[in-house]
Amino acid sequence: MLSRLIDASLVAQSSGRAGQLQVDADVLYWCERRPEEKGRQTIVRYQNGKAESLLSEEYCARSRVHEYGGGDYLVQEGRFFFVNDSDQAIYVFSDGQQPKRISAESPSNVEYRYADMCVSPDGRWLVAVQETHSKKENVLNELVAFPLDQGEQAPRLIATQFDFVASPSFSPDGRSLAWISWGIEEMSWESSDVWVADWQDGALLNVTSCSFDAPYSYLQPTWSHSNVLHVSCDAAGHWEVYAYRDRELQRVCELPGECGYPAWVFGLKSFCIGEGVIVGIVGPPGQQKLCLISQEKYKFFDLPVTDFDPTLAISSSHVYYRASSPTSPKAMYALSLETSKVECLTKATHSKDLLDSLVAAKAIAFPGEDGQWVHAFYYAPSHALAESAKKPTLIVNAHGGPTAYADASPNWAIQYWVSRGYAYLDVNYRGSAGYGREYRRKLLGQWGILDYKDCCAAARYAIAQGWADSKRCFIRGGSAGGLTVLNALRHDTVFAGGVSLYGVVDLMTLQEVTHKFEASYLLSLVGHLPESEAVYHERSPMRHADSLNGPVLFLQGLKDAVVPPSQVDDMRAAMDAAGKPYDYQSYAEEGHGFRLPENIVDALEREGAFYESIK
C-alpha cells in the first residue's frame, strides 16, 4: 500500500499521453503529449532503443476536428505528415528538412481543419477528413484529396454527401478507398456505415455500401495485404472483426468480448493486420487481452497486462501496444510474433518503491436500484487509514462521455486521493462502453436518470460493505459526468457534496450551443425535440437548483467549445437565486479538459480543500 502522499505536481507531470502508434519501414512511431511543454504534442520515433522527438518546438501535432481531434499525424515511406495546432493546416517533412505546408490558407471568414490522413500506395495523393467552419454555413465534414507533387494548394472535394466521415484507408494495390460515415442524428457507435469506392487519380467512382441492412456500428476499415477489407462491427452483440468478401461482411471468428472502442477521436485502432495475421484487443475494462485472430478461431497471448489503449501497430516481426496492469502504469511494448517474447520500450519514470506501493483497482459488480448489475472499480484507501477504526471518506467518480468507460489502469489522480485516506469508486454505469452493445445502449433515452441512480447505488453498496463513512460520501465527474453529479445531488441524499469539472448543467441550451459532432447526441440519450422538451427540462439541474442537497465545486475551462462556460454561468446564477452554496474556479487557457500542469495542480488542491471544508 502507499506509504507517502502523492503530490499534485506528480499528477500534473504524469498527465502526458502517448498514442496513435504507427510503423513505417519496421520502425515504430507515436504521437506524444508533453505536460512539461504546456501540452504540446510531438511525433516520436523509437529506434535502436531510443525515443526521439521529430517536431521542433514551434510545431504541435494536434487536430481539432470534432473538437476532440485525433488522427494528428501520418508516416509513409519516410515522409511525415501532421496537422499543426495553431493553424490546423497539413504539413509534410522528411528527416533533416523543415516542414512544408500542403493545405492552402483558408478563404476569408472560413476555417479549415484536418484529421485522419492516409496516402495512396504510389505516394501521389493524400486523403484527409476536412472540417469547414464558416459564419455563413453550417459546419461541413468531407473527404478531400491533395496531389503531393504540386506544393501548397486548395483541397479537392471527393466525398461531400455525408454528415460525418472518418477513417479513410487505401487498399494496398491503390485501386480502392474505404471509409466510415454516419448521419447528423447519430453517433458512430450507435449507427454508422462502411463504404468502398474505386480510386481513380483523385476521384471516387462506383461508391458501394458494405454495411448490413440493419443499423450497426462500424469502426476502423483496414485492408489486409491481399486487398481484403476488414472492419469492426457490433452486429453480433459486441464489436468483432469482419471481412468483406463476395460483396458481403463475414465475421472472421466469434470473439468472447469487445474488440473496439467508441470513436471519440480519430485514429483509434483496436485491431491491426500484418502478413497473414490479425491481432486485436479483446475484452471488458480490467480484463482485456491481446488476441491472435484467424479464420474461425482465436488465441490469447499470455501477458501480464489487463488494460490496453485503443492503439496498435504491426511490423513484419512485432506487434506494438500500450498497456497496463492494476499495479504497473501504461507503457509501450513490443511483442514478437515469432516467439511471443515481450519487450518494454518505455521505462518507468517513477521510483520502484512508488510503483510497488500503488493501490490496485478491484473490479466489482453490484446491483443497481432495479436489481440489474452495474460495473465499477474500487480503490481502497492508504494502509494507515485502513488500520484505523474510522471509516474513510468515499469519492464516487462518474466518467465522461457518457459512452466511454473507466478502466483499472493506475491513474495518478486516483492515487492522489487514496494516498490521502480516501476510498475511491470509479463507476461504469449502464451505458458505458466495453461491455457490449446491450450494456452500452441501456442509457439510450435514460441519460440523466440511470447514470446518477447507478452512482448512488454504488455509494450505498460501498457503505454496506463497510468501505465508507455514510456521512462522508462525495461524487465527482467531468463533462457528461458533471450532469450525473448534479442530478445525484438533486434526487438523493447519499452524497454530502459534488465536484463538476466542465460539466453539463442544462440539456436544452447544450443542444442549442454545443459543437456539431455531439449536436444530436441528446436525441438518442434523452429524446427528440420538440416532443421531449419537458424531459429535457426535468433532467437539467440548472432548472432545479433549489432541490440540490449539497454544495458543489465547479471547475471550468473558458475555451471549452464542447460544454461552453455559459453552462456553468447559468448554473451559478440559478444557485445564487436559490441560495445554494458553491465554489467556482475558471481557467482562461483551458478547453474541455485541463492540460497545463499548473492548472491540474490547482484543480486537485481546490477539490481536496472542498472535500475537507464539508464536515
Side-chain angles (χ1 to χ4, degrees):
M1 304 292 285
L2 286 169
S3 58
R4 68 175 178 85
L5 294 181
I6 299 297
D7 295 328
S9 58
L10 186 150
V11 178
Q13 292 163 12
S14 305
S15 64
R17 294 181 182 176
Q20 301 179 53
L21 276 63
Q22 297 183 28
V23 166
D24 184 59
D26 276 353
V27 177
L28 176 65
Y29 299 85
W30 63 77
C31 189
E32 183 173 293
R33 188 177 84 191
R34 297 185 164 181
E36 70 274 16
E37 298 180 30
K38 296 187 175 181
R40 186 178 79 93
Q41 294 186 173
T42 184
I43 302 169
V44 173
R45 174 167 55 202
Y46 185 89
Q47 194 171 27
N48 300 322
K50 295 182 179 180
E52 171 193 11
S53 172
L54 300 181
L55 284 185
S56 54
E57 293 183 359
E58 64 264 36
Y59 295 103
C60 172
R62 184 188 179 193
S63 168
R64 294 182 182 265
V65 175
H66 296 173
E67 305 300 337
Y68 298 119
D72 305 304
Y73 85 106
L74 173 72
V75 187
Q76 195 260 2
E77 296 186 353
R79 291 185 295 179
F80 305 92
F81 303 85
F82 70 96
V83 179
N84 189 42
D85 185 27
S86 61
D87 55 14
Q88 288 298 288
I90 300 174
Y91 289 76
V92 62
F93 69 97
S94 299
D95 274 335
Q97 297 180 348
Q98 284 294 311
K100 295 181 180 179
R101 183 167 177 156
I102 291 176
S103 58
E105 288 192 20
S106 305
S108 178
N109 297 320
V110 174
E111 178 191 358
Y112 291 147
R113 303 177 183 180
Y114 297 97
D116 224 11
M117 299 163 284
C118 65
V119 171
S120 58
D122 61 11
R124 295 178 53 229
W125 293 91
L126 180 139
V127 171
V129 174
Q130 175 181 273
E131 185 171 84
T132 305
H133 294 250
S134 75
K135 295 182 179 179
K136 296 182 180 180
E137 299 181 23
N138 294 329
V139 174
L140 301 175
N141 295 81
E142 301 159 313
L143 285 181
V144 298
F146 295 91
L148 292 175
D149 58 355
Q150 299 179 18
E152 185 177 326
Q153 65 208 276
R156 301 187 184 186
L157 301 175
I158 60 172
T160 62
Q161 66 269 46
F162 306 103
D163 293 318
F164 294 99
V165 287
S167 307
S169 177
F170 278 104
S171 60
D173 62 10
R175 298 173 59 184
S176 302
L177 184 78
W179 68 95
I180 298 290
S181 76
W182 64 99
I184 190 65
E185 293 193 1
E186 301 158 337
M187 302 302 288
S188 65
W189 49 82
E190 295 169 9
S191 177
S192 52
D193 288 290
V194 58
W195 302 87
V196 66
D198 296 336
W199 175 261
Q200 186 171 351
D201 202 28
L204 298 177
L205 304 176
N206 303 318
V207 176
T208 302
S209 171
C210 307
S211 307
F212 291 112
D213 291 335
Y216 298 122
S217 170
Y218 301 90
L219 304 171
Q220 194 195 321
T222 305
W223 297 87
S224 71
H225 289 210
S226 56
N227 297 292
V228 176
L229 178 63
H230 293 69
V231 296
S232 183
C233 174
D234 66 352
H238 49 253
W239 281 305
E240 298 174 283
V241 180
Y242 286 70
Y244 187 65
R245 293 189 177 96
D246 301 324
R247 302 187 67 82
E248 67 175 6
L249 285 174
Q250 303 170 12
R251 186 166 56 173
V252 174
C253 75
E254 183 178 353
L255 295 176
E258 201 96 282
C259 182
Y261 185 84
W264 283 101
V265 297
F266 294 99
L268 302 181
K269 288 185 179 0
S270 293
F271 71 93
C272 58
I273 303 179
E275 188 65 56
V277 63
I278 302 174
V279 178
I281 300 164
V282 176
Q287 302 174 50
Q288 292 179 331
K289 296 182 179 181
L290 203 61
C291 184
L292 190 65
I293 303 169
S294 59
Q295 197 66 36
E296 298 184 355
K297 62 181 180 180
Y298 64 87
K299 177 184 177 182
F300 289 129
F301 292 100
D302 185 15
L303 303 174
V305 292
T306 56
D307 286 287
F308 292 76
D309 284 352
T311 178
L312 291 171
I314 196 166
S315 70
S316 61
S317 59
H318 289 79
V319 60
Y320 300 94
Y321 57 93
R322 189 168 184 263
S324 64
S325 75
T327 55
S328 61
K330 286 280 171 67
M332 212 75 72
Y333 295 91
L335 181 146
S336 168
L337 292 170
E338 181 180 358
T339 67
S340 297
K341 181 181 178 180
V342 175
E343 179 186 2
C344 181
L345 307 181
T346 51
K347 306 303 180 185
T349 57
H350 306 294
S351 69
K352 184 178 183 302
D353 288 344
L354 183 59
L355 295 176
D356 287 344
S357 64
L358 283 168
V359 173
K362 175 184 178 182
I364 65 169
F366 59 90
E369 183 182 90
D370 56 3
Q372 294 190 30
W373 291 103
V374 181
H375 299 279
F377 292 101
Y378 169 68
Y379 297 80
S382 67
H383 183 65
L385 188 63
E387 287 186 340
S388 74
K390 182 180 178 182
K391 291 181 180 178
T393 297
L394 174 70
I395 298 173
V396 172
N397 183 68
H399 63 70
T403 314
Y405 62 68
D407 66 17
S409 299
N411 180 319
W412 289 111
I414 294 176
Q415 300 297 325
Y416 175 87
W417 298 116
V418 297
S419 78
R420 283 162 169 73
Y422 292 84
Y424 197 97
L425 203 50
D426 219 355
V427 181
N428 281 327
Y429 47 81
R430 282 170 288 178
S432 300
Y435 302 94
R437 182 180 178 89
E438 181 182 358
Y439 194 84
R440 190 174 72 243
R441 292 176 62 85
K442 285 183 181 294
L443 203 60
L444 298 185
Q446 295 297 310
W447 189 39
I449 298 178
L450 207 55
D451 49 319
Y452 89 76
K453 286 188 174 183
D454 284 353
C455 287
C456 292
R460 287 195 166 86
Y461 179 81
I463 292 167
Q465 299 300 307
W467 297 342
D469 182 343
S470 63
K471 296 181 179 179
R472 296 280 302 162
C473 295
F474 295 92
I475 183 169
R476 71 185 304 278
S479 190
L483 184 81
T484 307
V485 167
L486 296 172
N487 275 327
L489 292 175
R490 276 181 58 202
H491 294 290
D492 208 306
T493 58
V494 69
F495 295 112
V499 178
S500 173
L501 300 96
Y502 37 91
V504 176
V505 305
D506 184 63
L507 296 175
M508 284 297 294
T509 57
L510 180 69
Q511 177 70 19
E512 295 166 0
V513 303
T514 195
H515 59 142
K516 178 187 175 184
F517 179 62
E518 294 181 81
S520 299
Y521 197 11
L522 300 187
L523 300 183
S524 60
L525 291 173
V526 183
H528 281 71
L529 292 168
E531 57 267 33
S532 297
E533 184 173 349
V535 178
Y536 279 68
H537 284 229
E538 166 54 30
R539 299 184 194 174
S540 296
M542 190 273 288
R543 300 172 186 271
H544 307 277
D546 58 345
S547 63
L548 289 171
N549 292 309
V552 184
L553 170 63
F554 296 101
L555 301 169
Q556 177 72 41
L558 296 184
K559 291 186 176 180
D560 194 337
V562 177
V563 180
S566 58
Q567 282 268 307
V568 70
D569 291 343
D570 291 345
M571 186 70 196
R572 291 163 56 211
M575 291 180 72
D576 284 335
K580 296 293 183 177
Y582 66 87
D583 292 325
Y584 167 74
Q585 180 61 40
S586 64
Y587 301 98
E589 298 303 314
E590 299 287 7
H592 197 64
F594 304 152
R595 287 173 169 250
L596 299 179
E598 59 270 27
N599 294 337
I600 294 172
V601 169
D602 184 77
L604 277 171
E605 292 179 345
R606 287 180 184 274
E607 186 173 346
F610 173 77
Y611 295 144
E612 292 305 311
S613 70
I614 301 173
K615 304 300 182 182

